[in-house]
Amino acid sequence: MAYAWRWLRSFVFMFLVYAVMGIMGVLFFPVALVSRDGTRRVCRAYCRVVMLLARVMVGLRNEVRGTPPAGEVMVAAKHQSFFDILMIFNALPTAKFIMKRELLFTPIIGQYAYRIGCVPVNRGKRGQAIQKMVEDVERGSAQAGQLVIYPQGTRVAPGVDAPYKVGTAVLYGQLKQDCVPVATNVGVFWPRSGIYRKPGLAVVEFLPVIEQGLGRNEYMARLESEVEAASDALMREAGFDPKAA
């Protein structure tokens, strides 16, 4: 009975997550059309509304650890669910994400993402996709901010091994910016699929900077090692053993 009640609360919560997105997106769309700063304020307000609903309705608290960067850097983040996107965006002053181009045509999400400077990239053959991503990022580099990329290319469930894609290293070398790795345990509480949301403490942790100048192989090895180790530690802190999954 207790599980059924929590599932029902999760269902209502998820309905509200998307209902609020639609209402705020339509209500404040004129702001998004005339002001990029206004668009960011609307998006940040939405993030905080969802965080409040998560805490009140399903007992999911959130915490940001480490020091979120404020300058022009690349942020390479572990990605487990929609909630870690909201936490990272809310923590960074001027975040812009690399995203799948098809999301640009998603109502509300696409328009707001474009206005805050997100970089849509096409997927294709490996070499073509990487070159196109570099070109798209360089075209978007006029808008200052923290460029957020997901090195594994998609959401990865806790305990699942997925390769780190070389496109992250290509951008690291091409942009000549420092990289801030980010670990998380959010997927333990907010899974990639399904309705049920677990109570607990979702954490996003900004790790020490990987400075510019490393070779591709050294950079990739360090990024994966540091993000995976920190994410595993956060998941174990949440009571989930990633090695036993």
Side-chain angles (χ1 to χ4, degrees):
M1 185 65 182
Y3 176 82
W5 173 240
R6 289 196 299 268
W7 191 94
L8 179 60
R9 289 172 69 92
S10 294
F11 178 83
V12 175
F13 165 67
M14 290 306 299
F15 172 80
L16 290 175
V17 165
Y18 293 105
V20 170
M21 179 190 293
I23 292 169
M24 291 185 67
V26 172
L27 186 62
F28 294 105
F29 191 68
V31 175
L33 288 176
V34 300
S35 170
R36 291 190 185 275
D37 288 340
T39 305
R40 289 190 177 278
R41 286 194 291 270
V42 172
C43 292
R44 190 163 282 113
Y46 172 72
C47 293
R48 293 172 179 173
V49 169
V50 173
M51 291 175 187
L52 175 62
L53 289 172
R55 185 170 67 250
V56 172
M57 296 195 66
V58 295
L60 180 55
R61 296 166 291 126
N62 69 88
E63 178 180 302
V64 174
R65 298 178 185 173
T67 304
E72 291 265 359
V73 297
M74 188 172 78
V75 176
K78 184 78 170 176
H79 184 27
Q80 294 182 338
S81 84
F82 179 57
F83 200 49
D84 60 61
I85 297 176
L86 303 186
M87 291 177 65
I88 290 173
F89 182 83
N90 189 57
L92 295 172
T94 49
K96 53 182 181 179
F97 294 77
I98 291 181
M99 67 180 194
K100 295 180 292 186
R101 181 169 293 276
E102 48 264 37
L103 289 177
L104 193 62
F105 305 101
T106 302
I108 299 175
I109 293 177
Q111 289 71 41
Y112 277 80
Y114 177 77
R115 290 296 292 165
I116 65 173
C118 290
V119 182
V121 296
N122 285 317
R123 289 184 171 182
K125 295 182 179 179
R126 182 178 177 183
Q128 294 174 348
I130 291 173
Q131 182 58 37
K132 185 64 166 57
M133 179 172 63
V134 171
E135 293 172 357
D136 288 343
V137 168
E138 288 179 337
R139 278 198 294 271
S141 62
Q143 294 187 41
Q146 300 79 46
L147 179 66
V148 183
I149 183 170
Y150 297 114
Q152 292 169 294
T154 187
R155 292 170 295 172
V156 178
V160 174
D161 290 328
Y164 279 57
K165 299 182 181 297
V166 71
T168 307
V170 174
L171 284 178
Y172 168 77
Q174 187 82 14
L175 298 178
K176 303 200 181 310
Q177 295 178 353
D178 292 343
C179 173
V180 178
V182 179
T184 189
N185 67 357
V186 171
V188 173
F189 310 101
W190 187 313
R192 176 174 178 171
S193 60
I195 297 295
Y196 184 64
R197 302 293 178 257
K198 298 177 182 178
L201 180 63
V203 179
V204 160
E205 181 176 4
F206 290 86
L207 304 175
V209 173
I210 300 176
E211 295 183 349
Q212 178 55 227
L214 299 182
R216 179 178 297 184
N217 292 339
E218 184 180 1
Y219 165 75
M220 289 295 291
R222 183 173 167 186
L223 175 67
E224 181 171 355
S225 173
E226 294 181 6
V227 170
E228 290 302 308
S231 294
D232 285 353
L234 291 174
M235 287 185 277
R236 284 192 291 269
E237 180 183 314
F240 177 87
D241 184 357
K243 303 306 180 186

